[in-house]
Amino acid sequence: MIVLVIALLLALFLLPNLWAKWVLARHARGRDEYPGTGGELADHLIRRLGLEGVRVEMTDQGDHYDPEARRVRLSRENHEGRSLTAVTVAAHEVGHAIQHQQGYAPLLARSRLVAVAQKAEKVGALLMMAAPFLFVLTRLPGGLAIVVAAAVISFGTAALVHLVTLPVEFDASFQRALPLLKEYLPPRDLAGARHVLTACAFTYVAASLASILNLGRWLVILRR
């Protein structure tokens, strides 16, 4: 029974991430008929939409929009790639810049929560480093409650941020990016673009599940 539960939990964690990677890779083939790269499309959309102060940069830290620096950051393959994945991911990240310009409340809330989550994750790292001491502390009166509370705050906050992120991601994908892509992509590519946009959101599903699994693992360890 325990083995089955573990297998199901691993499947819940791995499948969304594997599916997202498969979709992104499936549509990453170069398309010579596309007029520009992902970076060029992002630049064009920023100028066309009048997103003042927003710039496009290449990064090795994953595709994302930085609201503090007002930067659309794209991985090399998406910045320089001329593929369905490249242009769709670029439009998705520009979608976040549109949200920012329009004062989209969930995006602003997520930005505040991210700062909290980063601190909480540091607490989680300290918990792991201090594991031997924690095992002694849990045998003291009230010690277990303190450690469990710290673990819940650390990993629970990270999971909450990822869950809050989901509606922000879907809005950037389907309310902002997709209407723009319909003007640039041939109709036959729109189904693939929808899959890529969904995959962008599912990376956060996997991250949320990972945080929940970390929390569950700590709770199991501390109960021993």
Side-chain angles (χ1 to χ4, degrees), residues 148-171:
V148 169
V152 170
I153 292 171
S154 173
F155 298 110
T157 301
L160 176 62
V161 169
H162 294 309
L163 289 174
V164 170
T165 293
L166 284 176
V168 176
E169 294 298 314
F170 278 111
D171 180 85

Side-chain angles (χ1 to χ4, degrees), residues 103-149:
Y104 182 61
L107 175 69
L108 303 179
R110 181 184 73 170
S111 298
R112 290 190 292 268
L113 278 171
V114 165
V116 175
Q118 289 173 342
K119 294 177 182 178
E121 287 177 353
K122 290 179 181 178
V123 173
L126 290 174
L127 282 173
M128 293 180 183
M129 292 173 61
F133 170 75
L134 294 177
F135 292 144
V136 174
L137 179 61
T138 57
R139 289 164 173 77
L140 299 177
L144 178 60
I146 295 172
V147 176
V148 169

